[in-house]
Amino acid sequence: MKFISTRGGNEKVNGARAIVQGLAKNGGLFVPEAFPAVSAEELDSMLTMSYAERASKIIYKYLDDYDEAELLKACEAAYSRFEGPDPAPLVKIDDGIYILELFHGPTCAFKDMALTLLPYLLRKGCNICGIKEKILILVATSGDTGKAALEGFKDAEGVKIMVFYPNDGVSKMQKLQMCTQEGSNVNVVAVKGNFDDCQSAVKTIFNSAECAEELKKRGYLLSSANSINFGRLVPQVVYYFSAYLDLVSSGQIEMGTPIDFCVPTGNFGNILAAYYAKRMGLPVRRLHCASNMNNILTDFLTKGEYDTRRDFYKTTSPSMDILISSNLERLLFEVCGRDGKLTSSRMEQLKTDKVYKITPEEQAEIAKTFDGGWANEDEVVETVYDVFCDTGYTMDTHTGCAMKVAIDWFEKNKKDTTNMVVVATANPYKFPQDVLYAVTGNDVRDSFKGIKRLHAATAMKVPASLAGLRDKPVRFDTVVSADKMFDEVLQFIGK
Ligand SMILES: *Cc1c(COP(=O)(O)O)cnc(C)c1O
């Protein structure tokens, strides 16, 4: 399988190169030249497979320059780091509504689904491409990617990783998770501004020939662990297949019956993976894109205009506090007939005018699959509370946004009998104060008190990795402005 840029041109690379390089040379994102198909027979054959087996089978369809048997071993190793026998269990909470729990990995957010595997994909990718340089990974994070990437790459040979997060834009728990990170090859820096400032500054470094030259002099090649990297996207395609197969193998649906997914969305990576699964032949009917108050995607899906000229809100679902959703570029590319020039001009327009519009035909094409909805802060609280009271299930604030959107859908479509899978992206203990407040009405100042009381209220198991944070020393406390980020990078890797 070859990969091409969403912004046209004739760069055409194998999977290994796409992953090592992160971004296409013209600033576009790598996309597969065509969507590989999964046949009905193959779906059948996957029914009895483990998650790791399903993963290697799906991923190999894109990354056929890797070794399939070795890929399986890597998947087994990655998903053995998850708590419990199944890394992506499906929980039924009501007739027709299921929750796909993607937060059982080492850092308690769905980012682990890809970032436990990415180090292998990158290391092997370097081998395949014959790359001798050391790799420097730069990450811009709205909270969860940073920690998952640090945990995935800590002490990896030949790799250094540096994470930038918005100083006031992540939860206390997320900050503590990152600032106490262990490992000899890691660095964490807070940036003044919000996630979009952070992400654009990292993108600027990526697109700068000068920065690349400076790093090359020091023996480093830049790579990315953000969801612009295809190596992040492809492991995420797997759990949509796996959830579907679990519904079939447990007798909830017949093979071939379409289902819906509702996905809490920020950078559009998670839901885009669901779209890829559909394009590969998974029986998916609709994809519901759920936002918080930063509802730019809801507006885009209903109006066909992507307009970033709006207020930015800090919410209780910080990993979705994003106005510039990078992965939307991959969807745009598909719905405009894979026109790289057009996609490129829209991305330019977004940069200069802060807004772009798509055609009614493109909007109609998107609407064939996607709906958008959002939840305000009160609605998140009420939804988490209602579901807890009605079913005993506790969900985090991000998942709460998605659940609200799913419930709204059934309110509006009372006769709809299609099964809905709501994707749960974080362990509730990652946002203990907000979830405690939603479930009990109690407001506590301290995160660890929040954990204790949330446990008392729900009896849900507390992940050791979160409870243990209290006693870990803080290793990183640097704060810089966005224009000083590259200086920090150079300081980190040294002369
Ligand atoms: C990253 C994240 C999201 C948003 O996922 P995207 O792929 O950026 O759309 C939602 N919820 C949580 C908990 C996250 O960490």
Side-chain angles (χ1 to χ4, degrees):
M1 174 72 65
K2 296 280 192 233
F3 293 80
I4 55 174
S5 167
T6 49
R7 301 195 190 173
N10 44 25
E11 189 176 6
K12 198 181 270 195
V13 300
N14 61 16
R17 173 63 64 181
I19 288 171
V20 173
Q21 206 172 299
L23 269 182
K25 292 210 171 92
N26 60 12
L29 309 191
F30 283 119
V31 288
E33 209 173 13
F35 288 103
V38 174
S39 66
E41 295 75 49
E42 281 176 298
L43 265 186
D44 273 331
S45 76
M46 278 191 265
L47 279 172
T48 52
M49 288 183 185
S50 69
Y51 188 87
E53 287 169 326
R54 289 169 178 173
S56 64
K57 197 157 169 72
I58 301 285
I59 296 170
Y60 186 69
K61 287 195 173 274
Y62 289 97
L63 306 181
D64 53 7
D65 46 336
Y66 286 64
D67 179 83
E68 194 175 2
E70 199 186 280
L71 186 59
L72 173 58
K73 281 218 179 83
C75 290
E76 280 168 348
Y79 297 117
S80 71
R81 297 183 60 198
F82 283 58
E83 209 156 301
D86 183 356
L90 199 59
V91 180
K92 181 172 185 171
I93 63 158
D94 200 352
D95 281 344
I97 303 194
Y98 299 81
I99 294 190
L100 175 60
E101 295 185 342
L102 301 179
F103 52 73
H104 297 288
T107 76
C108 304
F110 93 92
K111 308 295 196 293
D112 290 324
M113 300 302 300
L115 280 162
T116 48
L117 189 64
L118 188 64
Y120 163 77
L121 295 178
L122 193 65
R123 187 172 60 244
K124 180 73 182 177
C126 285
N127 284 345
I128 293 172
C129 301
I131 286 164
K132 299 280 187 299
E133 285 103 331
K134 285 173 282 185
I135 298 285
L136 173 66
I137 294 171
L138 295 187
V139 180
T141 185
S142 58
D144 292 328
T145 297
K147 177 61 186 180
L150 289 162
E151 214 32 61
F153 282 101
K154 77 170 174 209
D155 295 325
E157 217 174 294
V159 177
K160 282 198 171 192
I161 172 162
M162 186 152 183
V163 169
F164 295 99
Y165 69 90
N167 196 28
D168 299 315
V170 300
S171 82
K172 266 194 191 153
M173 215 49 154
Q174 290 175 321
K175 193 171 194 158
L176 208 53
Q177 273 188 312
M178 291 190 279
C179 294
T180 58
Q181 178 65 43
E182 292 160 356
S184 56
N185 62 337
V186 304
N187 194 9
V188 177
V189 172
V191 179
K192 293 173 194 156
N194 63 33
F195 172 70
D196 292 312
D197 302 323
C198 208
Q199 174 157 269
S200 6
V202 166
K203 272 192 196 158
T204 306
I205 297 175
F206 267 99
N207 288 327
S208 155
E210 238 169 87
C211 292
E213 194 52 39
E214 281 293 322
L215 293 172
K216 205 172 165 196
K217 269 196 248 161
R218 294 163 166 84
Y220 281 91
L221 195 71
L222 262 189
S223 190
S224 157
N226 276 105
S227 57
I228 50 169
N229 192 319
F230 192 77
R232 273 284 302 282
L233 197 56
V234 66
Q236 294 178 180
V237 176
V238 176
Y239 46 75
Y240 292 102
F241 276 91
S242 193
Y244 188 88
L245 293 164
D246 287 349
L247 282 174
V248 175
S249 62
S250 62
Q252 312 281 318
I253 58 170
E254 301 269 332
M255 180 63 94
T257 310
I259 62 167
D260 283 12
F261 286 100
C262 183
V263 188
T265 301
N267 231 343
F268 210 76
N270 200 350
I271 197 166
L272 184 80
Y275 175 76
Y276 273 44
K278 180 175 164 74
R279 293 293 301 266
M280 293 169 76
L282 189 70
V284 173
R285 186 189 63 166
R286 302 200 68 73
L287 296 174
H288 306 272
C289 173
S291 300
N292 61 22
M293 280 171 81
N294 295 295
N295 55 4
I296 184 165
L297 285 166
T298 317
D299 287 347
F300 172 69
L301 293 170
T302 45
K303 296 176 196 150
E305 182 176 68
Y306 197 85
D307 191 348
T308 63
R309 297 166 301 179
R310 58 175 68 214
D311 290 336
F312 175 87
Y313 301 103
K314 285 204 292 186
T315 72
T316 51
S317 42
S319 301
M320 296 157 67
D321 290 346
I322 293 174
L323 290 183
I324 302 172
S325 293
S326 303
N327 271 296
L328 191 61
E329 180 170 345
R330 287 189 165 111
L331 180 66
L332 284 181
F333 179 72
E334 298 303 331
V335 300
C336 72
R338 302 200 130 206
D339 183 339
K341 266 209 181 114
L342 185 55
T343 309
S344 177
S345 74
R346 283 180 177 146
M347 291 303 113
E348 275 313 308
Q349 216 185 340
L350 182 62
K351 229 173 165 179
T352 50
D353 306 342
K354 314 287 175 208
V355 54
Y356 64 81
K357 219 175 153 47
I358 59 172
T359 67
E361 292 75 27
E362 289 161 348
Q363 201 188 338
E365 185 58 33
I366 293 176
K368 277 187 196 164
T369 302
F370 289 89
D371 297 285
W374 65 287
N376 68 30
E377 292 292 87
D378 258 358
E379 288 168 337
V380 173
V381 169
E382 288 309 299
T383 304
V384 172
Y385 176 76
D386 287 345
V387 172
F388 177 72
C389 290
D390 293 348
T391 71
Y393 188 86
T394 312
M395 69 186 76
D396 93 291
T397 43
H398 301 75
T399 310
C401 293
M403 185 55 76
K404 165 71 179 152
V405 170
I407 290 169
D408 282 351
W409 170 265
F410 284 117
E411 283 288 313
K412 269 188 263 146
N413 300 276
K414 288 209 160 63
K415 297 215 172 91
D416 190 5
T417 54
T418 305
N419 285 290
M420 174 84 81
V421 175
V422 176
V423 175
T425 48
N427 188 305
Y429 285 113
K430 228 178 158 168
F431 305 92
Q433 289 141 292
D434 297 318
V435 177
L436 176 73
Y437 177 71
V439 169
T440 67
N442 286 334
D443 220 345
V444 293
R445 290 242 181 94
D446 178 79
S447 299
F448 297 99
K449 271 202 186 113
I451 288 185
K452 190 173 126 191
R453 292 191 184 198
L454 189 56
H455 182 257
T458 65
M460 221 178 8
K461 188 166 176 283
V462 182
S465 61
L466 295 181
L469 282 177
R470 192 212 291 256
D471 305 318
K472 284 197 165 179
V474 169
R475 294 184 63 203
F476 305 102
D477 57 7
T478 309
V479 186
V480 300
S481 55
D483 60 325
K484 292 286 184 299
M485 282 163 57
F486 193 62
D487 296 340
E488 285 297 316
V489 171
L490 291 181
Q491 203 174 335
F492 175 48
I493 60 172
K495 288 276 179 301

mmCIF file of all heavy atoms in Angstrom, residues 129-165:
data_model
loop_
_atom_site.group_PDB
_atom_site.id
_atom_site.type_symbol
_atom_site.label_atom_id
_atom_site.label_comp_id
_atom_site.label_asym_id
_atom_site.label_seq_id
_atom_site.Cartn_x
_atom_site.Cartn_y
_atom_site.Cartn_z
ATOM 1 N N CYS A 129 13.185 1.783 6.226
ATOM 2 C CA CYS A 129 13.657 2.892 5.389
ATOM 3 C C CYS A 129 15.177 3.064 5.447
ATOM 4 O O CYS A 129 15.719 3.947 4.782
ATOM 5 C CB CYS A 129 12.994 4.197 5.811
ATOM 6 S SG CYS A 129 11.219 4.187 5.718
ATOM 7 N N GLY A 130 15.848 2.289 6.264
ATOM 8 C CA GLY A 130 17.299 2.400 6.387
ATOM 9 C C GLY A 130 17.744 3.717 7.007
ATOM 10 O O GLY A 130 18.788 4.274 6.651
ATOM 11 N N ILE A 131 16.948 4.215 7.962
ATOM 12 C CA ILE A 131 17.271 5.502 8.585
ATOM 13 C C ILE A 131 18.214 5.298 9.765
ATOM 14 O O ILE A 131 17.974 4.453 10.632
ATOM 15 C CB ILE A 131 15.976 6.218 9.026
ATOM 16 C CG1 ILE A 131 15.270 6.751 7.791
ATOM 17 C CG2 ILE A 131 16.265 7.342 10.008
ATOM 18 C CD1 ILE A 131 13.855 7.130 8.014
ATOM 19 N N LYS A 132 19.314 6.072 9.773
ATOM 20 C CA LYS A 132 20.322 5.880 10.813
ATOM 21 C C LYS A 132 20.234 6.953 11.899
ATOM 22 O O LYS A 132 20.753 6.791 12.984
ATOM 23 C CB LYS A 132 21.729 5.936 10.192
ATOM 24 C CG LYS A 132 21.987 4.855 9.140
ATOM 25 C CD LYS A 132 22.321 3.516 9.802
ATOM 26 C CE LYS A 132 22.736 2.461 8.805
ATOM 27 N NZ LYS A 132 21.706 2.123 7.806
ATOM 28 N N GLU A 133 19.620 8.088 11.555
ATOM 29 C CA GLU A 133 19.546 9.176 12.533
ATOM 30 C C GLU A 133 18.735 8.765 13.759
ATOM 31 O O GLU A 133 17.922 7.855 13.697
ATOM 32 C CB GLU A 133 18.865 10.424 11.919
ATOM 33 C CG GLU A 133 19.721 11.196 10.966
ATOM 34 C CD GLU A 133 19.315 10.915 9.527
ATOM 35 O OE1 GLU A 133 18.813 9.806 9.265
ATOM 36 O OE2 GLU A 133 19.510 11.802 8.687
ATOM 37 N N LYS A 134 18.952 9.520 14.835
ATOM 38 C CA LYS A 134 18.074 9.372 15.979
ATOM 39 C C LYS A 134 16.773 10.128 15.672
ATOM 40 O O LYS A 134 16.748 11.011 14.830
ATOM 41 C CB LYS A 134 18.748 9.956 17.221
ATOM 42 C CG LYS A 134 19.853 9.049 17.750
ATOM 43 C CD LYS A 134 20.633 9.699 18.868
ATOM 44 C CE LYS A 134 21.629 10.698 18.314
ATOM 45 N NZ LYS A 134 22.518 11.299 19.297
ATOM 46 N N ILE A 135 15.719 9.728 16.357
ATOM 47 C CA ILE A 135 14.414 10.332 16.101
ATOM 48 C C ILE A 135 14.040 11.276 17.246
ATOM 49 O O ILE A 135 14.200 10.923 18.417
ATOM 50 C CB ILE A 135 13.329 9.230 15.992
ATOM 51 C CG1 ILE A 135 13.622 8.294 14.818
ATOM 52 C CG2 ILE A 135 11.942 9.837 15.880
ATOM 53 C CD1 ILE A 135 13.335 8.866 13.466
ATOM 54 N N LEU A 136 13.572 12.445 16.874
ATOM 55 C CA LEU A 136 13.036 13.364 17.874
ATOM 56 C C LEU A 136 11.535 13.495 17.641
ATOM 57 O O LEU A 136 11.101 13.928 16.570
ATOM 58 C CB LEU A 136 13.686 14.745 17.760
ATOM 59 C CG LEU A 136 13.058 15.811 18.656
ATOM 60 C CD1 LEU A 136 13.282 15.498 20.134
ATOM 61 C CD2 LEU A 136 13.576 17.191 18.317
ATOM 62 N N ILE A 137 10.767 13.118 18.649
ATOM 63 C CA ILE A 137 9.318 13.199 18.518
ATOM 64 C C ILE A 137 8.814 14.437 19.233
ATOM 65 O O ILE A 137 9.088 14.636 20.418
ATOM 66 C CB ILE A 137 8.655 11.945 19.100
ATOM 67 C CG1 ILE A 137 9.044 10.752 18.238
ATOM 68 C CG2 ILE A 137 7.149 12.087 19.145
ATOM 69 C CD1 ILE A 137 8.630 9.456 18.811
ATOM 70 N N LEU A 138 8.113 15.278 18.508
ATOM 71 C CA LEU A 138 7.491 16.457 19.111
ATOM 72 C C LEU A 138 5.986 16.235 19.158
ATOM 73 O O LEU A 138 5.382 15.826 18.170
ATOM 74 C CB LEU A 138 7.776 17.715 18.285
ATOM 75 C CG LEU A 138 9.222 18.178 18.192
ATOM 76 C CD1 LEU A 138 9.280 19.525 17.483
ATOM 77 C CD2 LEU A 138 9.857 18.280 19.574
ATOM 78 N N VAL A 139 5.409 16.523 20.312
ATOM 79 C CA VAL A 139 3.980 16.319 20.484
ATOM 80 C C VAL A 139 3.335 17.594 21.006
ATOM 81 O O VAL A 139 3.844 18.196 21.954
ATOM 82 C CB VAL A 139 3.713 15.188 21.511
ATOM 83 C CG1 VAL A 139 2.216 14.961 21.688
ATOM 84 C CG2 VAL A 139 4.387 13.896 21.094
ATOM 85 N N ALA A 140 2.240 17.999 20.388
ATOM 86 C CA ALA A 140 1.376 19.026 20.971
ATOM 87 C C ALA A 140 0.188 18.284 21.550
ATOM 88 O O ALA A 140 -0.391 17.439 20.886
ATOM 89 C CB ALA A 140 0.906 19.999 19.898
ATOM 90 N N THR A 141 -0.146 18.572 22.801
ATOM 91 C CA THR A 141 -1.203 17.774 23.418
ATOM 92 C C THR A 141 -2.265 18.628 24.075
ATOM 93 O O THR A 141 -1.961 19.676 24.656
ATOM 94 C CB THR A 141 -0.620 16.797 24.469
ATOM 95 O OG1 THR A 141 -1.663 15.972 24.955
ATOM 96 C CG2 THR A 141 0.026 17.534 25.629
ATOM 97 N N SER A 142 -3.508 18.183 23.973
ATOM 98 C CA SER A 142 -4.584 18.815 24.730
ATOM 99 C C SER A 142 -4.769 18.055 26.046
ATOM 100 O O SER A 142 -5.758 18.230 26.732
ATOM 101 C CB SER A 142 -5.876 18.828 23.917
ATOM 102 O OG SER A 142 -6.254 17.514 23.566
ATOM 103 N N GLY A 143 -3.820 17.175 26.367
ATOM 104 C CA GLY A 143 -3.850 16.514 27.671
ATOM 105 C C GLY A 143 -3.503 15.035 27.644
ATOM 106 O O GLY A 143 -2.598 14.589 28.338
ATOM 107 N N ASP A 144 -4.210 14.290 26.826
ATOM 108 C CA ASP A 144 -4.060 12.838 26.901
ATOM 109 C C ASP A 144 -3.015 12.258 25.951
ATOM 110 O O ASP A 144 -2.347 11.281 26.278
ATOM 111 C CB ASP A 144 -5.409 12.171 26.644
ATOM 112 C CG ASP A 144 -6.388 12.445 27.783
ATOM 113 O OD1 ASP A 144 -5.925 12.565 28.925
ATOM 114 O OD2 ASP A 144 -7.597 12.543 27.520
ATOM 115 N N THR A 145 -2.850 12.859 24.782
ATOM 116 C CA THR A 145 -1.845 12.349 23.847
ATOM 117 C C THR A 145 -0.455 12.426 24.464
ATOM 118 O O THR A 145 0.347 11.503 24.356
ATOM 119 C CB THR A 145 -1.840 13.178 22.543
ATOM 120 O OG1 THR A 145 -3.097 13.028 21.932
ATOM 121 C CG2 THR A 145 -0.767 12.701 21.587
ATOM 122 N N GLY A 146 -0.164 13.545 25.120
ATOM 123 C CA GLY A 146 1.171 13.764 25.688
ATOM 124 C C GLY A 146 1.561 12.649 26.625
ATOM 125 O O GLY A 146 2.618 12.034 26.479
ATOM 126 N N LYS A 147 0.690 12.351 27.569
ATOM 127 C CA LYS A 147 1.020 11.320 28.552
ATOM 128 C C LYS A 147 1.154 9.953 27.876
ATOM 129 O O LYS A 147 2.076 9.192 28.171
ATOM 130 C CB LYS A 147 -0.048 11.273 29.637
ATOM 131 C CG LYS A 147 0.161 10.183 30.669
ATOM 132 C CD LYS A 147 1.479 10.353 31.411
ATOM 133 C CE LYS A 147 1.749 9.171 32.349
ATOM 134 N NZ LYS A 147 3.023 9.344 33.066
ATOM 135 N N ALA A 148 0.226 9.649 26.988
ATOM 136 C CA ALA A 148 0.265 8.340 26.339
ATOM 137 C C ALA A 148 1.530 8.195 25.491
ATOM 138 O O ALA A 148 2.153 7.131 25.457
ATOM 139 C CB ALA A 148 -0.986 8.133 25.483
ATOM 140 N N ALA A 149 1.947 9.280 24.832
ATOM 141 C CA ALA A 149 3.155 9.233 24.008
ATOM 142 C C ALA A 149 4.393 9.082 24.897
ATOM 143 O O ALA A 149 5.301 8.303 24.598
ATOM 144 C CB ALA A 149 3.259 10.486 23.150
ATOM 145 N N LEU A 150 4.429 9.811 26.007
ATOM 146 C CA LEU A 150 5.569 9.717 26.928
ATOM 147 C C LEU A 150 5.707 8.293 27.468
ATOM 148 O O LEU A 150 6.785 7.723 27.514
ATOM 149 C CB LEU A 150 5.378 10.683 28.110
ATOM 150 C CG LEU A 150 5.512 12.177 27.782
ATOM 151 C CD1 LEU A 150 4.870 13.024 28.878
ATOM 152 C CD2 LEU A 150 6.981 12.560 27.601
ATOM 153 N N GLU A 151 4.589 7.728 27.849
ATOM 154 C CA GLU A 151 4.584 6.375 28.401
ATOM 155 C C GLU A 151 4.995 5.372 27.314
ATOM 156 O O GLU A 151 5.744 4.441 27.582
ATOM 157 C CB GLU A 151 3.165 6.094 28.900
ATOM 158 C CG GLU A 151 2.962 5.246 30.107
ATOM 159 C CD GLU A 151 4.024 5.294 31.188
ATOM 160 O OE1 GLU A 151 4.290 6.356 31.793
ATOM 161 O OE2 GLU A 151 4.591 4.227 31.444
ATOM 162 N N GLY A 152 4.534 5.596 26.105
ATOM 163 C CA GLY A 152 4.871 4.684 25.012
ATOM 164 C C GLY A 152 6.349 4.734 24.632
ATOM 165 O O GLY A 152 6.957 3.714 24.342
ATOM 166 N N PHE A 153 6.924 5.936 24.650
ATOM 167 C CA PHE A 153 8.282 6.101 24.126
ATOM 168 C C PHE A 153 9.346 6.212 25.215
ATOM 169 O O PHE A 153 10.522 6.356 24.889
ATOM 170 C CB PHE A 153 8.349 7.353 23.234
ATOM 171 C CG PHE A 153 7.768 7.142 21.867
ATOM 172 C CD1 PHE A 153 6.493 7.592 21.558
ATOM 173 C CD2 PHE A 153 8.496 6.474 20.884
ATOM 174 C CE1 PHE A 153 5.951 7.395 20.300
ATOM 175 C CE2 PHE A 153 7.973 6.277 19.619
ATOM 176 C CZ PHE A 153 6.696 6.736 19.320
ATOM 177 N N LYS A 154 8.966 6.180 26.474
ATOM 178 C CA LYS A 154 9.988 6.390 27.515
ATOM 179 C C LYS A 154 11.066 5.315 27.410
ATOM 180 O O LYS A 154 10.782 4.133 27.229
ATOM 181 C CB LYS A 154 9.359 6.416 28.912
ATOM 182 C CG LYS A 154 8.993 5.082 29.449
ATOM 183 C CD LYS A 154 8.610 5.135 30.924
ATOM 184 C CE LYS A 154 8.112 3.762 31.321
ATOM 185 N NZ LYS A 154 7.147 3.738 32.371
ATOM 186 N N ASP A 155 12.323 5.776 27.469
ATOM 187 C CA ASP A 155 13.495 4.914 27.401
ATOM 188 C C ASP A 155 13.604 4.105 26.104
ATOM 189 O O ASP A 155 14.357 3.125 26.042
ATOM 190 C CB ASP A 155 13.566 3.978 28.626
ATOM 191 C CG ASP A 155 13.764 4.778 29.922
ATOM 192 O OD1 ASP A 155 14.471 5.806 29.876
ATOM 193 O OD2 ASP A 155 13.203 4.386 30.956
ATOM 194 N N ALA A 156 12.850 4.494 25.077
ATOM 195 C CA ALA A 156 13.010 3.823 23.778
ATOM 196 C C ALA A 156 14.368 4.209 23.197
ATOM 197 O O ALA A 156 14.753 5.382 23.244
ATOM 198 C CB ALA A 156 11.890 4.232 22.827
ATOM 199 N N GLU A 157 15.048 3.235 22.660
ATOM 200 C CA GLU A 157 16.393 3.473 22.142
ATOM 201 C C GLU A 157 16.364 4.330 20.880
ATOM 202 O O GLU A 157 15.506 4.146 20.018
ATOM 203 C CB GLU A 157 17.025 2.119 21.821
ATOM 204 C CG GLU A 157 18.508 2.078 22.138
ATOM 205 C CD GLU A 157 19.032 0.676 21.949
ATOM 206 O OE1 GLU A 157 18.606 -0.219 22.717
ATOM 207 O OE2 GLU A 157 19.825 0.476 21.029
ATOM 208 N N GLY A 158 17.291 5.285 20.798
ATOM 209 C CA GLY A 158 17.401 6.095 19.586
ATOM 210 C C GLY A 158 16.291 7.118 19.413
ATOM 211 O O GLY A 158 16.143 7.712 18.354
ATOM 212 N N VAL A 159 15.499 7.328 20.460
ATOM 213 C CA VAL A 159 14.368 8.250 20.367
ATOM 214 C C VAL A 159 14.405 9.238 21.531
ATOM 215 O O VAL A 159 14.698 8.856 22.664
ATOM 216 C CB VAL A 159 13.020 7.493 20.429
ATOM 217 C CG1 VAL A 159 11.849 8.459 20.407
ATOM 218 C CG2 VAL A 159 12.903 6.505 19.295
ATOM 219 N N LYS A 160 14.150 10.508 21.229
ATOM 220 C CA LYS A 160 13.859 11.461 22.296
ATOM 221 C C LYS A 160 12.470 11.993 22.054
ATOM 222 O O LYS A 160 12.043 12.152 20.914
ATOM 223 C CB LYS A 160 14.873 12.606 22.297
ATOM 224 C CG LYS A 160 16.196 12.212 22.928
ATOM 225 C CD LYS A 160 17.024 13.415 23.311
ATOM 226 C CE LYS A 160 18.225 12.932 24.126
ATOM 227 N NZ LYS A 160 18.911 14.055 24.774
ATOM 228 N N ILE A 161 11.768 12.267 23.140
ATOM 229 C CA ILE A 161 10.403 12.762 22.984
ATOM 230 C C ILE A 161 10.182 14.013 23.825
ATOM 231 O O ILE A 161 10.593 14.082 24.970
ATOM 232 C CB ILE A 161 9.364 11.672 23.313
ATOM 233 C CG1 ILE A 161 7.954 12.288 23.338
ATOM 234 C CG2 ILE A 161 9.641 10.975 24.639
ATOM 235 C CD1 ILE A 161 6.845 11.303 23.231
ATOM 236 N N MET A 162 9.548 14.983 23.201
ATOM 237 C CA MET A 162 9.294 16.255 23.858
ATOM 238 C C MET A 162 7.817 16.609 23.686
ATOM 239 O O MET A 162 7.298 16.615 22.576
ATOM 240 C CB MET A 162 10.163 17.310 23.197
ATOM 241 C CG MET A 162 10.111 18.621 23.871
ATOM 242 S SD MET A 162 11.680 19.449 23.572
ATOM 243 C CE MET A 162 11.407 20.909 24.537
ATOM 244 N N VAL A 163 7.173 16.906 24.811
ATOM 245 C CA VAL A 163 5.738 17.167 24.793
ATOM 246 C C VAL A 163 5.454 18.611 25.191
ATOM 247 O O VAL A 163 5.988 19.106 26.181
ATOM 248 C CB VAL A 163 5.012 16.201 25.762
ATOM 249 C CG1 VAL A 163 3.568 16.622 25.970
ATOM 250 C CG2 VAL A 163 5.080 14.779 25.237
ATOM 251 N N PHE A 164 4.632 19.278 24.407
ATOM 252 C CA PHE A 164 4.188 20.638 24.713
ATOM 253 C C PHE A 164 2.694 20.611 25.026
ATOM 254 O O PHE A 164 1.913 20.058 24.258
ATOM 255 C CB PHE A 164 4.418 21.560 23.514
ATOM 256 C CG PHE A 164 5.864 21.753 23.162
ATOM 257 C CD1 PHE A 164 6.447 21.030 22.126
ATOM 258 C CD2 PHE A 164 6.648 22.647 23.881
ATOM 259 C CE1 PHE A 164 7.787 21.212 21.795
ATOM 260 C CE2 PHE A 164 7.983 22.831 23.564
ATOM 261 C CZ PHE A 164 8.560 22.119 22.522
ATOM 262 N N TYR A 165 2.333 21.226 26.145
ATOM 263 C CA TYR A 165 0.900 21.296 26.469
ATOM 264 C C TYR A 165 0.519 22.732 26.822
ATOM 265 O O TYR A 165 1.348 23.494 27.317
ATOM 266 C CB TYR A 165 0.544 20.331 27.608
ATOM 267 C CG TYR A 165 1.102 20.705 28.961
ATOM 268 C CD1 TYR A 165 0.380 21.517 29.838
ATOM 269 C CD2 TYR A 165 2.347 20.257 29.373
ATOM 270 C CE1 TYR A 165 0.883 21.864 31.080
ATOM 271 C CE2 TYR A 165 2.871 20.605 30.605
ATOM 272 C CZ TYR A 165 2.129 21.409 31.461
ATOM 273 O OH TYR A 165 2.632 21.763 32.684
#
